[in-house]
Amino acid sequence: MEPVPEDWQRALTIVAHPDDLEYGASAAIARWTAAGKEVVQLLATRGEAGIDSMDPAEVARIRAEEQVAAARLVGVETVEFLDHPDGMLEYGLPLRRDLARAIRRHRPDVVVSLNFRETWAGGQGFNMADHRVLGLAVADAVRDAANRWVFRDLAEEPWQGVRFALFANSPAAGHYVDVTGHLAAGVASLRAHRIYFENLGQDFDPDAFLTGIAAGTGSRVGITHAMPFELIEL
């Protein structure tokens, strides 16, 4: 594995749901913001379909608030929502257009998202549709944002400055971010989704989960804690 290049200043994170970033990427975000980098979070949905026992409108409010709180814990001030329907993201031009507009508006050097592959590390589980759809749309939207002849109706000027996209927790991860000293902030950001976890009906230990990933990846590269990413140059 190789370290993720960090000679850049602005990152835009794009994920499907509140809590997607907090399963590992937020520890890297804590490192970056501590170093003075600018990070903005964009979420395609408000996660309103995530709690079976609660009304979606109430869940949307709660999960959005928890995401903002989680972002603050890793140094992120700007959190935006596109309000696409949770659980029903569709790959296509409307989603790509929204993402391309955000990329053109924020003009990031790096885009960060979540694993879009069918499985997780070790071939475990089957990744959910929203993650698969969103990740592919993110990769394509980076190119869309750079091409002035795509989505010509957008008022925002094309942006060709994205150097690469990072996808957290991918089974194809070949890069890492050293999060030694920043793991606690990542754990705190995951714990910020308190009401969501309380309503899942199962025990979940954010500390053990994130430490397991960070320590395992760190041991592979000879440091204490690291988070894995798939890096795609676009």
Side-chain angles (χ1 to χ4, degrees), residues 18-52:
D19 86 345
D20 281 352
L21 287 172
E22 283 68 56
Y23 290 100
S26 62
I29 293 170
R31 170 188 170 92
W32 295 330
T33 58
K37 299 184 187 300
E38 304 167 23
V39 180
V40 170
Q41 293 185 4
L42 177 71
L43 294 94
T45 82
R46 293 179 184 260
E48 67 273 9
I51 300 178
D52 183 69

Side-chain angles (χ1 to χ4, degrees), residues 6 8 11-15 19-33 39 41 67 70-71 74-76 111-115 120 166-170 176-179 182-183 185-187 189-190 209-210 213-214 226-230:
E6 294 187 329
W8 48 268
L12 174 64
T13 70
I14 307 174
V15 291
D19 86 345
D20 281 352
L21 287 172
E22 283 68 56
Y23 290 100
S26 62
I29 293 170
R31 170 188 170 92
W32 295 330
T33 58
V39 180
Q41 293 185 4
Q67 184 60 43
V74 293
V76 175
V111 170
V112 182
S113 191
L114 184 66
N115 174 35
W120 299 93
L166 296 171
F167 297 88
N169 299 354
S170 168
Y176 70 89
V177 174
D178 184 349
V179 297
H182 300 282
L183 184 60
V187 171
S189 71
L190 185 53
F209 178 83
L210 289 178
I213 296 174
M227 285 297 174
F229 289 88
E230 177 179 359

Side-chain angles (χ1 to χ4, degrees), residues 36 43 68 98 117 136 208:
L43 294 94
V68 170
D98 283 350
R117 305 293 181 178
L136 288 174

Side-chain angles (χ1 to χ4, degrees), residues 82-157:
L82 293 176
D83 290 323
H84 283 258
D86 182 18
M88 295 182 286
L89 286 182
E90 293 183 293
Y91 180 89
L93 295 180
L95 180 58
R96 282 170 50 189
R97 183 179 185 275
D98 283 350
L99 299 183
R101 172 190 283 162
I103 293 168
R104 290 180 180 184
R105 182 161 50 87
H106 289 291
R107 305 171 77 81
D109 306 308
V110 174
V111 170
V112 182
S113 191
L114 184 66
N115 174 35
F116 63 89
R117 305 293 181 178
E118 288 191 349
T119 63
W120 299 93
Q124 298 182 3
F126 186 69
N127 199 1
M128 70 174 297
D130 278 0
H131 296 162
R132 303 195 316 271
V133 164
L134 192 280
L136 288 174
V138 166
D140 290 332
V142 170
R143 289 195 177 99
D144 296 335
N147 189 335
R148 71 175 59 256
W149 306 122
V150 174
F151 301 127
R152 282 175 272 177
D153 60 315
L154 293 178
E156 295 79 4
E157 284 295 309

